[in-house]
Amino acid sequence: MSDFVMWGGFNLFVLLLLAFDLGVLHRKDRDMSVAEALWMSLAYFVLAMLFGGGIFMFMGEQKGLEFLTGYLIEKSLSVDNIFVFVLVFTHFSVPRHLQYRVLFWGILGALVMRAGLIVAGAAILEAFHWVIYVFGAFLAVTGVKMLLAADSEPDMAGNVVTRTFRRLFPMTEGYDGNHFMVRRAGKLYATPLLMVLTIIEFTDLVFALDSIPAIFAVSRDPFIVYTSNVFAILGLRALYFALAGIIHRFRYLKYGLSLVLVFIGAKMIINAWFAAKIIPTDVALLVTALIIGGSMVVSVIKTRSEGGDEGATHIPTGWIPGTPARDSDDAAGGNASGGNASGASTQNTGTSSTDDNAR
């Protein structure tokens, strides 16, 4: 099968899936129930496993293991995004029925950005083999930094993306239906919904700088890296609505993710140094699964013994670019109550009848 057929066919399938999602399943803005979110998450997981089965069948066992390992790593790291989604949506008081639309366009943008990063990364590794040591060291250092900053909380008011957006774009006082931009008195204004989308896009770019090198540590095949990324991201919206209410129960998952990054970075350097698979893909898959599974079990047990710690999101500093740390108690209490820093208000969610709206 030619590369053109593989890449073209896969991207066409993704576009059709996205069109069906937004055009049929979620044509109207509405809140997604937990049951619906769980079913959609399961559907995307089944699609990924079926695709992985096809990789095993047509590209061989090694490629199949690379896809599964890359998918597991990316899926695990994508849970970090959910922590950020919860914080951002809470801080800016985004109505639940608008959150799915923001995530849809955010993830669509993420797919485009990641495709570009993957193509660039593959080309760089092909031309300069020594870059693999840079990638490995970057992953290990990032994992250590995440581990050390695990209990810090970001201050959304100090977010460099938020401050820059406010300086560059005139904004409305609050939300205006599902519009990202509106026209008033002949002038275009951004709504807080566009600022939220920008923050989510920029945050995913930062996550991608961690996750994509991690998958290159497993596979050097751009098609495997890209498809494992895409399948993990496609189910992220549904996973958010399924886990948003209980994400605080996975408080210790970020420690596990930090250790995974350190392990994958070390694997990348060791295998490159010895020019052999000292740590084979199936071992990497097993170790990753054990670390992630173990951190989730510890999280559930610890938070249950602590009474659940309702409402705490505990998002590490630095995972939202340019965001300084705050005291944990202040962040946990301030976001929910005074999080309307953008001037956005849930009371102003209807479309204005006097304004000429433009999306």
Side-chain angles (χ1 to χ4, degrees), residues 4-312:
F4 176 80
V5 172
M6 287 195 309
W7 284 88
F10 180 76
N11 283 307
L12 179 60
F13 167 74
V14 171
L15 290 175
L16 291 174
L17 193 62
L18 290 172
F20 177 74
D21 189 335
L22 190 64
V24 178
L25 296 180
H26 299 93
R27 186 164 54 89
K28 296 182 179 180
D29 294 320
R30 60 181 177 81
D31 190 4
M32 180 185 288
S33 68
V34 174
E36 181 184 0
L38 288 172
W39 279 111
M40 284 194 65
S41 296
L42 178 61
Y44 279 118
F45 175 75
V46 170
L47 283 175
M49 292 302 99
L50 290 175
F51 185 84
I55 296 292
F56 271 97
M57 183 178 299
F58 295 105
M59 299 182 69
E61 180 181 353
Q62 179 59 33
K63 294 291 185 182
L65 284 172
E66 290 175 2
F67 174 82
L68 288 180
T69 306
Y71 175 76
L72 175 61
I73 292 173
E74 181 60 37
K75 195 70 174 177
S76 302
L77 292 173
S78 70
V79 176
D80 298 348
N81 296 60
I82 297 178
F83 282 98
V84 176
F85 295 162
V86 171
L87 179 66
V88 173
F89 287 151
T90 300
H91 183 83
F92 293 106
S93 303
V94 181
R96 278 185 62 87
H97 70 280
L98 295 179
Q99 292 175 10
Y100 192 89
R101 179 172 292 270
V102 173
L103 292 180
F104 177 88
W105 292 110
I107 288 171
L108 186 62
L111 292 175
V112 175
M113 284 192 299
R114 288 178 183 236
L117 288 173
I118 289 168
V119 171
I124 291 172
L125 286 173
E126 185 69 25
F128 308 101
H129 180 265
W130 56 267
V131 174
I132 198 167
Y133 296 106
V134 177
F135 279 10
F138 174 76
L139 288 175
V141 170
T142 300
V144 172
K145 288 175 63 178
M146 284 171 55
L147 196 61
L148 295 176
D151 290 326
S152 301
E153 295 283 349
D155 178 10
M156 289 297 297
N159 190 305
V160 66
V161 181
T162 305
R163 290 187 281 108
T164 303
F165 189 94
R166 288 176 172 283
R167 285 198 300 266
L168 295 177
F169 300 98
M171 287 183 59
T172 60
E173 288 286 328
Y175 296 104
D176 199 325
N178 61 9
H179 298 286
F180 292 106
M181 300 191 73
V182 297
R183 187 179 297 277
R184 294 179 176 174
K187 184 177 181 180
L188 276 176
Y189 289 84
T191 70
L193 207 61
L194 182 60
M195 183 168 65
V196 170
L197 176 61
T198 303
I199 293 171
I200 286 177
E201 291 280 21
F202 202 79
T203 302
D204 183 78
L205 177 61
V206 174
F207 280 120
L209 294 177
D210 295 336
S211 63
I212 289 176
I215 300 181
F216 271 120
V218 174
S219 176
R220 298 285 293 276
D221 188 331
F223 185 72
I224 298 297
V225 176
Y226 177 67
T227 53
S228 58
N229 253 268
V230 169
F231 272 112
I233 295 174
L234 282 176
L236 187 56
R237 288 158 297 153
L239 192 62
Y240 163 76
F241 285 99
L243 297 181
I246 60 171
I247 193 66
H248 61 280
R249 296 295 301 274
F250 298 104
R251 180 193 309 173
Y252 298 96
L253 177 61
K254 51 186 166 284
Y255 294 98
L257 297 176
S258 302
L259 294 176
V260 167
L261 287 181
V262 173
F263 168 71
I264 293 298
K267 171 188 180 298
M268 202 172 199
I269 294 173
I270 291 171
N271 285 358
W273 181 264
F274 290 98
K277 291 197 173 183
I278 304 300
I279 305 176
T281 305
D282 52 353
V283 172
L285 176 60
L286 178 61
V287 171
T288 301
L290 288 175
I291 293 175
I292 296 301
S295 63
M296 293 180 71
V297 170
V298 170
S299 294
V300 172
I301 294 174
K302 289 285 289 182
T303 53
R304 177 181 296 174
S305 66
E306 295 169 4
D309 195 18
E310 294 294 337

Side-chain angles (χ1 to χ4, degrees), residues 343-355:
S345 170
T346 52
Q347 281 79 22
N348 187 13
T349 57
T351 304
S352 172
S353 59
T354 59
D355 296 331

